[in-house]
Amino acid sequence: MAFRKRKGREQDSSKERFTLLLLDLEEYFFEQHIGYHVLSEDGKPRSSVRGSLKICSKSILFEPDEISKPIIKIAFRDCVKIEETEDNPCVQNRSGGFLVVFKQVNFIKEENLVAPYKIQRGEMQYLFRLEVAGKVADVVQTLLQLHRASGLHKLGDQTAMITAILQSRLARTSFDKNRFQSISEMSHMECEVEMVTPLVTNPGHVCITDKSLYFQPLNGYPVPVVQIKLHDIQRIYKRRHGLMPLGLEVFCTENDLCSDIYLKFYKPEDRDELYYYIASYLENHVTEHTVESYMLQWQKGHLSNYEYLLHLNNLADRSCNDLSQYPVFPWIIADYTSSELDLTNSETFRDFSKPIGALNKERLERLLTRYQEMPEPKFMYGSHYSSPGYVLFYLVRVAPEYMLCIQNGKFDHADRMFNSVAETWKNCLVGVTDFKELIPEFYGHDYDFLLNSLKLDLGKRQGGKVVEDIELPPWATDPSDFLKKNREALESQHVSEHLHEWIDLIFGYKQRGHEAIMAHNVFHPLTYEGVNLDSIEDPNQKIAILTQILEFGQTPKQLFTKPHPWKITPKFKSISRSSSHSRVESPVSPHEESFEDLTEESRMLAWSNITKLKLDSQHKIHKEAVTGIAVSCNGSSIFTTSQDSTLKMFSKELGTLQRSISFSNMALSSCVILPEDSTVVCSSWDNHIYFYSVAFCRRQDTLMGHDDAVSKICWHDNRLYSASWDSTVKVWRCVPAEVSGTKRNDFELLAELEQDASVNIINLNPENSMLVSGTTEGTLGIWDLPTTSILHQLSCHSGVVHDAVFSPDSRHILSTGDDGCLKVTDVQTGMLISSIPSGQPQRCFCWDGNTVLSGSQSGELLVWDLVAGKVMERIQGHSGAVTCMWMNEQCSSIITGGEDRQILFWKLLY
């Protein structure tokens, strides 16, 4: 276990039971003091326990000198009161201390045993006394400051306050140059950094001289200073940390999996300056290896498959110090049931041309069905093939403290632990969310991770079986033999001939883009390089995204953009090179009929949680009421129209306005975005329809289609539908490729649907075979588009019809108007089957056939149960009427526009 080697080196320098793994994730250890925990009985001091008091950013820890006694951990969020005591009568010098009143305490490592934390709940109070009484006031002030931070309502505010405290401490200190090994050393640069170890970062100062690289921890833990001599450095790598270019890793060995130090910088320019200083030194001492040089060595047999994969992982930012980017190795063997392992049989091996999620055809078809109906950005797999949880799943028996750290002081349920190699492989083939690959330890020599040598109490499985050692396949006689045969398989002829196929998926040209789609190798977009956290202004959103990045796992840096060559190996008749398995299938499932079922399930989930809608962000980008919203396929760009006559292009990710376009001095009434996001079409009160080219940033064409204001437009299959106050709905033939060109176009009028009053609203049914129109006089028109004939013309509302939408099954139409009623009309018969008064006009809405999310005249969002005929939830939204609403296909993302000139982004809290 690579990262445990570093832990062992650290523990050699300290006999403390305390480690940074006892802290919460993203928590800092600030300072420590020798002190006493004063024990009392019936409110009277009885005795005191000497130990070390640790002050951390989110908790207080007390480590007794006596190892049989547990370490005490009190989280600031559980504290009720912290106050300085004037005198302590239980000790001779009567020096002061401080009192902590809290609601919960953790007891850790009692009898010095690694085990799940013991939790005691209920209001309690502990008295602590410092050996140096003069420090009490400063310590209490620090504790109160951290307690205040823990009590802030928003996580982003908590993080910001703790970060400010940390930066203040770093700014008040500097590297102690008395730590230089030689007085002749010349300092080149010094800056603030954090040393990264698995699940932990430790802030301090880095200093590089002409002879050594130094790191001095702010807290002096685990050693006062770390020194690495420049002439010992063999390799350095720039790293992404949390997908940001802030990391630097230094190796003093050529092939060791574990580095000597991993540093995270606060500024990329500081990282780059230190990197180039060391790199310039290495140029004169060590030959630099590129991915091309390693590939050539591997092809010619100078590097083993194992060594080559290690180098690729290093070059792709994988590090044993970062569990979210731990080195990833493939499952090689697919046979865990035979008594003998036949490495000459191709069926013994997994298909290297497919990711884990695509190895099971039936499961893949279900995943592709979901993928096809998913809105942009699409992804095929809901979990990754490498994450901190998966790494510790494999290594819990040798790294139990890491598992306790990531799981809040608990081990996972016994049945979910790594119990059997065969069971784990099977679950990777059939599990709904299990797509994990392996880690390098499966091909190493240290088999400790397969044994419960520490005699950990990992629980009992269903049936009462105690979790002990890993159950090995029948072909392995013992753990050593298991690893030996894994190594033999990895270096076998078949794997050497097909390993490049797996490299294409993980590090190569099939990692992204069209090739990734064709290879069924598409993961969540946040796992890929290129996420810019600096562009996210909302601190809470930034923390949420960073947490997801760190916990979900990260895709390696892409190393190759062309197919990876295979290894040059001698031929054997028993194994064919033609293909490891069958050809990669198309990402389109043959069972198209199941798409709607899965989409319906997703919509049902969203609508069942619609009352949990929460405001995500809001932006005032117009000078008058917002009238229309359109969103690009990938969700990156939001286009809005307004009565201020402008079309705006807004970036949700950046939170900034990108473009503002004005076609005339008249209001714009609606907008749609055409397929491939190339063109935005806007309707205007000046009787025109404008075509705006997104790529060319200019008006591309103008359609003078009506004799009065154009109130609403829709688009489907090269057909433009326009509604107007001239009492008509017109159907136009319009090819997007022509519209986006540079020359002007002739639009073909296919049909003109006449009404008796000004048309205010139109919408298409899901099959795009019918159209509903609503007029300013309260009339609904239901039209059959293939025949352009009217099916029903209904007097439905008293006053303007504000919105009218078909149900998902096209059987009903829900409409709202000035009369404040929500009315449901049967499409086939034209019969009004429900009318619910709302007390005020509902200006716009979305619905699933049963539940309605409406935007009201007052600015509220209302959730309606149509069957019960009542409001289930009222959600405060705009300060004026909600004038338009957009919902994505999965019904999980919502944007509203209002008379208050704002657009509001909403999210569902499942």
Side-chain angles (χ1 to χ4, degrees):
M1 292 25 42
F3 63 78
R4 289 175 61 245
K5 295 178 182 177
R6 172 160 301 284
K7 180 185 174 186
R9 292 198 293 266
E10 292 171 354
Q11 287 183 333
D12 289 341
S13 64
S14 174
K15 296 181 180 180
E16 293 181 331
R17 292 177 294 155
F18 170 80
T19 78
L20 297 179
L21 293 170
L22 301 184
L23 277 58
D24 292 349
L25 295 176
E26 303 298 316
E27 182 175 9
Y28 298 108
F29 170 31
F30 284 147
E31 61 189 61
Q32 61 181 339
H33 303 273
I34 301 300
Y36 299 86
H37 175 206
V38 181
L39 304 176
S40 61
E41 188 173 325
D42 298 328
K44 296 180 179 180
R46 178 168 52 87
S47 61
S48 60
V49 177
R50 189 179 188 274
S52 176
L53 187 75
K54 323 282 186 180
I55 300 178
C56 307
S57 58
K58 299 179 182 179
S59 61
I60 309 168
L61 287 90
F62 182 77
E63 179 190 12
D65 292 343
E66 187 177 338
I67 63 172
S68 63
K69 296 184 180 297
I71 296 173
I72 297 169
K73 180 180 179 180
I74 305 170
F76 285 117
R77 65 175 177 272
D78 294 324
C79 291
V80 177
K81 181 171 62 175
I82 300 173
E83 64 180 8
E84 183 177 355
T85 58
E86 296 182 1
D87 285 311
N88 187 350
C90 73
V91 292
Q92 290 183 348
N93 61 10
R94 300 177 61 84
S95 59
F98 62 90
L99 184 72
V100 181
V101 182
F102 51 90
K103 297 178 292 185
Q104 179 175 298
V105 60
N106 291 323
F107 298 107
I108 307 171
K109 288 188 177 180
E110 189 171 5
E111 298 294 341
N112 204 25
L113 296 177
V114 177
Y117 302 170
K118 295 180 180 179
I119 302 174
Q120 184 175 338
R121 296 182 174 89
E123 186 163 308
M124 297 160 276
Q125 63 181 33
Y126 282 178
L127 180 64
F128 296 99
R129 180 175 62 84
L130 301 186
E131 195 163 74
V132 180
K135 294 184 177 181
V136 172
D138 290 339
V139 167
V140 170
Q141 184 179 0
T142 298
L143 295 176
L144 290 173
Q145 189 179 30
L146 294 170
H147 184 221
R148 285 195 299 273
S150 72
L152 295 175
H153 181 64
K154 295 183 178 180
L155 184 58
D157 295 336
Q158 293 180 26
T159 303
M161 184 170 178
I162 290 173
T163 300
I165 294 171
L166 170 63
Q167 292 300 321
S168 174
R169 286 171 171 262
L170 288 170
R172 294 197 305 267
T173 58
S174 61
F175 183 83
D176 182 4
K177 293 181 173 55
N178 291 322
R179 295 289 182 178
F180 285 171
Q181 189 180 43
S182 169
I183 59 173
S184 63
E185 285 186 70
M186 299 294 293
S187 174
H188 172 71
M189 73 166 289
E190 174 188 341
C191 64
E192 299 159 358
V193 298
E194 294 176 15
M195 186 172 74
V196 178
T197 53
L199 303 182
V200 167
T201 59
N202 199 11
H205 296 270
V206 67
C207 181
I208 189 165
T209 70
D210 54 343
K211 295 181 180 179
S212 295
L213 172 68
Y214 295 95
F215 171 73
Q216 186 172 29
L218 180 66
N219 49 37
Y221 178 89
V223 291
V225 69
V226 176
Q227 178 192 8
I228 297 174
K229 295 180 179 179
L230 295 186
H231 65 72
D232 290 334
I233 297 176
Q234 296 294 310
R235 296 175 288 145
I236 55 171
Y237 296 96
K238 290 182 179 181
R239 296 295 192 210
R240 295 174 300 160
H241 188 82
L243 293 183
M244 297 293 287
L246 298 172
L248 182 71
E249 193 161 22
V250 178
F251 292 78
C252 292
T253 58
E254 181 56 39
N255 295 312
D256 197 344
L257 191 59
C258 184
S259 67
D260 288 81
I261 194 168
Y262 185 132
L263 298 173
K264 171 198 168 186
F265 292 74
Y266 296 111
K267 300 176 182 177
E269 53 269 28
D270 287 341
R271 189 276 304 267
D272 293 344
E273 181 179 352
L274 193 143
Y275 172 85
Y276 288 121
Y277 184 85
I278 299 177
S280 62
Y281 179 90
L282 295 183
E283 284 179 3
N284 301 319
H285 299 82
V286 180
T287 302
E288 181 181 2
H289 291 290
T290 62
V291 64
E292 292 80 12
S293 67
Y294 283 130
M295 181 170 61
L296 184 61
Q297 291 181 60
W298 173 73
Q299 274 192 287
K300 292 183 175 293
H302 297 162
L303 287 177
S304 67
N305 293 340
Y306 175 82
E307 291 170 330
Y308 186 49
L309 288 177
L310 281 186
H311 288 306
L312 291 184
N313 272 283
N314 262 323
L315 292 168
D317 285 340
R318 313 302 284 186
S319 168
C320 291
N321 283 306
D322 184 353
L323 296 190
S324 67
Q325 298 190 94
Y326 201 77
V328 56
F329 269 57
W331 284 94
I332 296 293
I333 299 168
D335 178 7
Y336 294 98
T337 58
S338 300
S339 58
E340 297 292 333
L341 189 64
D342 184 2
L343 297 181
T344 64
N345 181 1
S346 63
E347 296 302 315
T348 298
F349 302 92
R350 63 85 63 90
D351 185 346
F352 294 98
S353 69
K354 298 178 181 179
I356 290 293
L359 293 177
N360 182 322
K361 184 178 179 180
E362 290 74 20
R363 178 177 66 175
L364 177 62
E365 288 179 354
R366 295 193 299 270
L367 293 168
L368 290 178
T369 299
R370 183 187 68 176
Y371 174 78
Q372 293 297 326
E373 297 299 327
M374 186 180 293
E376 295 290 348
K378 296 185 177 185
F379 54 92
M380 296 178 184
Y381 306 114
S383 62
H384 206 253
Y385 50 77
S386 176
S387 70
Y390 289 161
V391 174
L392 296 176
F393 169 83
Y394 291 126
L395 300 181
V396 62
R397 287 166 176 80
V398 291
E401 290 183 84
Y402 293 86
M403 178 63 82
L404 293 173
C405 177
I406 203 172
Q407 296 216 144
N408 298 316
K410 299 177 291 186
F411 291 128
D412 203 353
H413 189 278
D415 286 300
R416 291 196 296 266
M417 300 194 78
F418 182 30
N419 293 299
S420 161
V421 178
E423 283 182 12
T424 301
W425 168 246
K426 179 181 179 181
N427 201 55
C428 287
L429 293 180
V430 302
V432 178
T433 59
D434 195 348
F435 314 108
K436 59 178 171 287
E437 293 278 8
L438 294 182
I439 55 177
E441 281 78 358
F442 279 83
Y443 304 98
H445 293 82
D446 188 349
Y447 53 78
D448 282 351
F449 75 101
L450 301 170
L451 303 174
N452 188 15
S453 301
L454 299 176
K455 303 301 178 184
L456 300 169
D457 182 2
L458 299 175
K460 294 182 180 180
R461 304 187 66 183
Q462 289 184 3
K465 186 177 180 180
V466 176
V467 176
E468 286 289 352
D469 300 340
I470 300 298
E471 182 181 337
L472 302 174
W475 45 257
T477 58
D478 56 36
S480 178
D481 184 55
F482 173 72
L483 294 189
K484 177 176 177 290
K485 288 176 177 172
N486 273 351
R487 291 193 299 274
E488 291 172 353
L490 177 60
E491 306 301 334
S492 67
Q493 179 77 14
H494 180 82
V495 174
S496 294
E497 291 180 346
H498 297 286
L499 185 59
H500 65 280
E501 297 172 346
W502 186 82
I503 293 172
D504 285 336
L505 294 169
I506 306 301
F507 304 104
Y509 81 110
K510 292 184 179 180
Q511 186 196 91
R512 295 184 177 212
H514 176 71
E515 293 293 343
I517 296 173
M518 297 302 295
H520 308 139
N521 194 38
V522 182
F523 295 86
H524 194 283
L526 286 180
T527 69
Y528 294 93
E529 185 178 24
V531 177
N532 185 7
L533 290 175
D534 287 338
S535 67
I536 303 172
E537 296 181 356
D538 184 353
N540 296 295
Q541 183 186 7
K542 181 181 290 189
I543 291 171
I545 291 176
L546 180 59
T547 300
Q548 184 173 349
I549 288 171
L550 296 177
E551 294 182 359
F552 187 87
Q554 298 175 42
T555 299
K557 178 182 177 182
Q558 189 175 25
L559 300 178
F560 310 100
T561 56
K562 296 180 180 180
H564 192 286
W566 55 72
K567 193 173 187 179
I568 302 172
T569 58
K571 299 287 183 177
F572 288 94
K573 294 181 180 179
S574 59
I575 303 283
S576 170
R577 168 176 287 284
S578 60
S579 174
S580 61
H581 284 263
S582 59
R583 180 176 60 87
V584 178
E585 294 90 350
S586 164
V588 179
S589 169
H591 304 297
E592 295 283 343
E593 66 274 10
S594 63
F595 284 6
E596 184 59 36
D597 294 337
L598 187 58
T599 303
E600 188 62 26
E601 289 180 9
S602 301
R603 289 172 176 165
M604 287 176 62
L605 177 61
W607 279 102
S608 66
N609 289 276
I610 200 71
T611 56
K612 300 175 184 176
L613 196 65
K614 298 296 181 185
L615 181 62
D616 189 16
S617 63
Q618 58 192 87
H619 307 273
K620 183 175 290 187
I621 61 174
H622 283 284
K623 296 180 179 179
E624 299 292 341
V626 181
T627 57
I629 301 170
V631 180
S632 60
C633 291
N634 62 11
S636 62
S637 298
I638 293 88
F639 296 88
T640 59
T641 52
S642 169
Q643 290 182 7
D644 65 8
S645 79
T646 63
L647 168 69
K648 305 281 190 180
M649 177 178 169
F650 182 83
S651 170
K652 172 65 164 61
E653 183 179 77
L654 300 177
T656 57
L657 183 65
Q658 303 291 297
R659 301 180 194 174
S660 180
I661 307 98
S662 182
F663 303 111
S664 72
N665 60 358
M666 299 289 283
L668 298 179
S669 56
S670 68
C671 60
V672 295
I673 187 165
L674 302 193
E676 299 182 2
D677 298 344
S678 58
T679 304
V680 178
V681 186
C682 304
S683 57
S684 173
W685 285 3
D686 67 1
N687 311 352
H688 294 164
I689 299 170
Y690 296 97
F691 293 79
Y692 174 76
S693 171
V694 178
F696 292 99
C697 307
R698 65 187 180 194
R699 182 174 68 184
Q700 203 66 48
D701 217 328
T702 303
L703 174 60
M704 295 174 282
H706 288 273
D707 298 326
D708 205 337
V710 184
S711 54
K712 179 72 184 294
I713 52 175
C714 298
W715 177 277
H716 175 71
D717 194 22
N718 298 339
R719 299 290 189 272
L720 175 67
Y721 304 85
S722 59
S724 171
W725 294 353
D726 66 7
S727 305
T728 66
V729 176
K730 293 185 178 182
V731 184
W732 308 85
R733 180 182 177 275
C734 178
V735 180
E738 296 174 358
V739 171
S740 61
T742 56
K743 70 174 186 177
R744 300 182 67 82
N745 301 274
D746 294 326
F747 298 94
E748 181 183 357
L749 179 62
L750 300 180
E752 186 170 338
L753 314 179
E754 295 186 358
Q755 296 251 196
D756 294 334
S758 298
V759 183
N760 188 58
I761 186 74
I762 57 171
N763 273 305
L764 302 173
N765 73 329
E767 293 78 22
N768 301 288
S769 59
M770 290 186 288
L771 178 145
V772 60
S773 59
T775 71
T776 55
E777 295 183 0
T779 303
L780 282 187
I782 305 175
W783 302 83
D784 177 67
L785 291 178
T787 62
T788 64
S789 60
I790 192 162
L791 299 176
H792 302 286
Q793 185 161 316
L794 309 168
S795 296
C796 195
H797 292 274
S798 57
V800 176
V801 178
H802 289 301
D803 207 353
V805 181
F806 285 92
S807 62
D809 59 9
S810 299
R811 294 180 180 178
H812 302 110
I813 292 172
L814 176 67
S815 59
T816 61
D818 264 350
D819 56 10
C821 291
L822 283 77
K823 297 191 176 185
V824 180
T825 303
D826 181 77
V827 171
Q828 184 178 8
T829 64
M831 182 183 294
L832 180 66
I833 59 177
S834 177
S835 180
I836 306 172
S838 67
Q840 60 175 320
Q842 302 300 310
R843 297 285 296 274
C844 55
F845 64 86
C846 295
W847 75 312
D848 69 343
N850 299 297
T851 307
V852 181
L853 175 67
S854 68
S856 68
Q857 183 73 27
S858 65
E860 287 182 310
L861 298 186
L862 277 63
V863 180
W864 298 83
D865 181 344
L866 286 182
V867 177
K870 64 179 183 180
V871 175
M872 295 189 293
E873 190 73 27
R874 293 179 180 270
I875 304 167
Q876 188 59 46
H878 294 264
S879 58
V882 184
T883 51
C884 51
M885 182 181 297
W886 175 89
M887 177 183 283
N888 67 350
E889 291 183 9
Q890 300 297 101
C891 308
S892 58
S893 179
I894 297 162
I895 306 173
T896 58
E899 285 186 348
D900 59 2
R901 301 167 286 174
Q902 295 193 97
I903 56 172
L904 272 56
F905 293 85
W906 303 85
K907 60 183 179 181
L908 287 177
L909 299 180
Y910 288 77

